[in-house]
Amino acid sequence: MKRRHFLAAAAALCAAAGPAAAEKLSLNALSNYLNGMTTAQAPFTQVSDDGSLSTGKLYLKRPGRARFEYDPPNAAQVIAGAGSVVIVDPKSNQPAETYPLNRTPLSIILAPQVDLGRANMVVGHAYDGTATIVTAQDPDNPDYGRIELMFTDAPIELRKWVIHDGSGTTTTVLLGGLETGMDLSDRLFSTTLRRNATNR
């Protein structure tokens, strides 16, 4: 009787351990998924470092382009394009802030060719029971910060990221249903248009 109980318990443990291990997505599968994403859009909720919440619409056009449009009354926009990230906040009455895209962790998923298997790029790769979480950084410039990416499976879908920038600030972006493959105009990602609009 005891032996049967032991065997049943062992079988249950193996069954529980098996699927969890199988659910962890490989870095190669995640790289292929990101490289196959040419355009995408999704509603998002952003949690800033101070705990404040913002919502809006995200547009991606790989490589190198992204646009965050915030819902009213927040009129701010963040646009990545032409190698730069431009932050526009009409309420501030200040010129747009501009940063090199390659100095931000977001550049990792906007790169022309994502390779999460590159040496020293991924510093964390785990499965939390629901999703695969990958923490990545620029292996040549780890001081630029890191990005945590959360993916669900069947099919693979990017659901969330957390950016830890070089100054220690943390920003979390939770994605709604991610739509891919649509036609997005390049004008959405024009950083020149946004700089000129704020300077008038």
Side-chain angles (χ1 to χ4, degrees), residues 14-87:
C14 289
E23 291 289 346
K24 182 177 175 179
L25 297 165
S26 71
L27 296 180
N28 184 58
L30 295 175
S31 296
N32 290 339
Y33 164 75
L34 292 171
N35 287 323
M37 185 191 297
T38 53
T39 58
Q41 63 184 29
F44 72 86
T45 299
Q46 176 179 299
V47 185
S48 299
D49 197 54
D50 61 2
S52 61
L53 296 177
S54 304
T55 60
K57 190 75 173 284
L58 165 69
Y59 302 89
L60 293 176
K61 192 169 186 178
R62 299 187 60 261
R65 287 164 287 185
R67 178 188 181 100
F68 296 82
E69 273 189 11
Y70 293 87
D71 292 331
N74 188 348
Q77 295 179 352
V78 178
I79 301 173
S84 298
V85 176
V86 177
I87 301 173

Side-chain angles (χ1 to χ4, degrees), residues 2-12:
K2 290 182 180 177
R3 184 171 181 274
R4 283 201 301 272
H5 285 170
F6 174 79
L7 292 175

Side-chain angles (χ1 to χ4, degrees), residues 59-135:
Y59 302 89
L60 293 176
K61 192 169 186 178
R62 299 187 60 261
R65 287 164 287 185
R67 178 188 181 100
F68 296 82
E69 273 189 11
Y70 293 87
D71 292 331
N74 188 348
Q77 295 179 352
V78 178
I79 301 173
S84 298
V85 176
V86 177
I87 301 173
V88 181
D89 185 0
K91 287 185 177 180
S92 72
N93 295 316
Q94 297 295 320
E97 297 179 53
T98 303
Y99 304 92
L101 176 60
N102 63 6
R103 288 178 173 266
T104 70
L106 191 60
S107 65
I108 292 172
I109 61 173
L110 294 179
Q113 188 68 26
V114 178
D115 180 11
L116 296 175
R118 181 181 171 189
N120 300 319
M121 173 171 279
V122 169
V123 294
H125 182 202
Y127 178 70
D128 68 359
T130 302
T132 299
I133 303 169
V134 172
T135 305

